[in-house]
């Protein structure tokens, strides 16, 4: 159910709504390097992919957990060659960027400063403590908020209706109290809401024409995970 366009993207209207900063940057095709900071399941990775699509950029992705300086330099060299040949810009998304050490983060600086790559750093940790000051000063920081109850409800309805990417082929429906419970218990995390919905539908004896009750959802969720922010 990952959105395929900005029109499908839910949440973060405080910086992505019409007339807001990131919206204006995308409209003007003046997208610089950014840091996306916020809890899991709120669309950070999805928005990075959509930004590459909106700006007609090549999308490259690295994880700071599994990648080192060699991997970073290979992507940067590839991006530099593309620019030299008159090709498309490269949007480089680095997941868990706070896990890069200072040397790894410093390796990004020259190409970020020259605009060889559009860097999108993804982190669940406060970047003002976890990311180098030099990289922060060259990027705009956007803080993601948990999705609202209404936004989660919209995503649930969309997943139940979508026959290609969602659960629409099962023609399942959901009771109002079950919908309200799932939207509340998901704590603003779209991934958690959609995962529980999938479990509820697919674990039913006969998922076709199923009507989900609050008990069905409670069984699928089992328990509400408490988010803990060490910062």
């Amino acid at each position: 159910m990952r959105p395929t366009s900005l029109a499908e993207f839910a949440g973060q209207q405080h910086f992505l709504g019409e007339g807001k900063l990131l919206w204006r940057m995308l409209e003007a095709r003046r997208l610089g390097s950014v840091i996306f900071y916020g809890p899991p399941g709120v669309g950070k990775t999805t928005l990075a992919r959509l930004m590459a699509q909106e700006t007609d950029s090549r999308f490259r992705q690295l994880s700071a957990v599994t990648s080192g300086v060699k991997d970073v330099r290979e992507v940067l060299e590839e991006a530099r060659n593309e620019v030299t040949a008159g090709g498309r810009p490269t949007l480089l998304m680095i997941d868990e960027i706070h896990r890069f050490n200072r040397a790894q983060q410093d390796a990004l600086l020259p190409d970020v400063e020259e605009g060889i790559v559009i860097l999108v750093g993804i982190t669940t940790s406060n970047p003002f403590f976890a990311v180098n000051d030099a990289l922060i000063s060259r990027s705009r920081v956007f803080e993601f908020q948990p999705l609202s109850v209404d936004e989660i409800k919209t995503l649930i309805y969309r997943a139940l209706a979508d026959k290609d990417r969602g659960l629409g082929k099962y023609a399942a429906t959901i009771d109002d109290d079950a919908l309200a419970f799932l939207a509340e218990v998901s704590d603003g995390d779209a991934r958690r809401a959609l995962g529980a919905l999938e479990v509820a539908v697919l674990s039913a004896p006969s998922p076709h024409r199923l009507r989900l009750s609050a008990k069905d959802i409670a069984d699928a969720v089992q328990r509400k995970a408490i988010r803990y922010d060490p910062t």
Side-chain angles (χ1 to χ4, degrees), residues 60-136:
R60 295 293 181 269
Q61 178 175 354
L62 293 176
S63 169
V65 177
T66 58
S67 303
V69 171
K70 178 176 180 291
D71 302 297
V72 172
R73 286 180 174 156
E74 283 178 359
V75 173
L76 295 177
E77 181 66 24
E78 180 186 297
R80 198 176 298 113
N81 292 339
E82 184 75 11
V83 169
T84 301
R88 296 185 297 161
T90 297
L91 186 147
L92 171 60
M93 190 198 86
I94 300 181
D95 197 20
E96 306 263 17
I97 193 170
H98 61 279
R99 292 181 178 269
F100 269 170
N101 60 34
R102 182 170 295 275
Q104 291 169 314
Q105 291 186 30
D106 284 347
L108 295 162
L109 290 175
D111 292 283
V112 167
E113 194 162 52
E114 292 177 31
I116 300 298
V117 293
I118 301 166
L119 172 68
V120 179
I122 306 289
T123 180
T124 54
S125 298
N126 189 328
F128 294 102
F129 294 101
V131 179
N132 288 1
D133 289 344
L135 202 53
I136 287 287

Side-chain angles (χ1 to χ4, degrees), residues 49-216:
R49 291 178 178 274
L50 292 176
M51 284 164 46
Q53 179 179 303
E54 289 289 316
T55 57
D56 193 28
S57 301
R58 299 163 65 250
F59 181 80
R60 295 293 181 269
Q61 178 175 354
L62 293 176
S63 169
V65 177
T66 58
S67 303
V69 171
K70 178 176 180 291
D71 302 297
V72 172
R73 286 180 174 156
E74 283 178 359
V75 173
L76 295 177
E77 181 66 24
E78 180 186 297
R80 198 176 298 113
N81 292 339
E82 184 75 11
V83 169
T84 301
R88 296 185 297 161
T90 297
L91 186 147
L92 171 60
M93 190 198 86
I94 300 181
D95 197 20
E96 306 263 17
I97 193 170
H98 61 279
R99 292 181 178 269
F100 269 170
N101 60 34
R102 182 170 295 275
Q104 291 169 314
Q105 291 186 30
D106 284 347
L108 295 162
L109 290 175
D111 292 283
V112 167
E113 194 162 52
E114 292 177 31
I116 300 298
V117 293
I118 301 166
L119 172 68
V120 179
I122 306 289
T123 180
T124 54
S125 298
N126 189 328
F128 294 102
F129 294 101
V131 179
N132 288 1
D133 289 344
L135 202 53
I136 287 287
S137 70
R138 291 163 174 79
S139 309
R140 292 190 181 274
V141 177
F142 291 97
E143 183 174 0
F144 283 59
Q145 301 295 330
L147 301 188
S148 71
V149 167
D150 286 342
E151 288 163 347
I152 293 288
K153 286 181 178 180
T154 296
L155 295 179
I156 292 168
Y157 277 132
R158 190 181 293 168
L160 287 172
D162 194 310
K163 294 182 178 179
D164 297 321
R165 295 178 293 155
L167 300 163
K169 65 182 179 181
Y170 297 106
T173 57
I174 186 168
D175 290 340
D176 289 343
D177 58 342
L179 176 66
F181 173 71
L182 180 54
E184 288 283 355
V185 82
S186 297
D187 253 359
D189 184 329
R191 190 182 297 115
R192 186 183 301 168
L194 295 175
L197 182 68
E198 182 180 35
V199 168
V201 172
L202 299 186
S203 65
S206 176
H208 294 279
R209 301 290 174 184
L210 170 70
R211 185 167 186 85
L212 295 168
S213 67
K215 182 181 183 305
D216 295 325

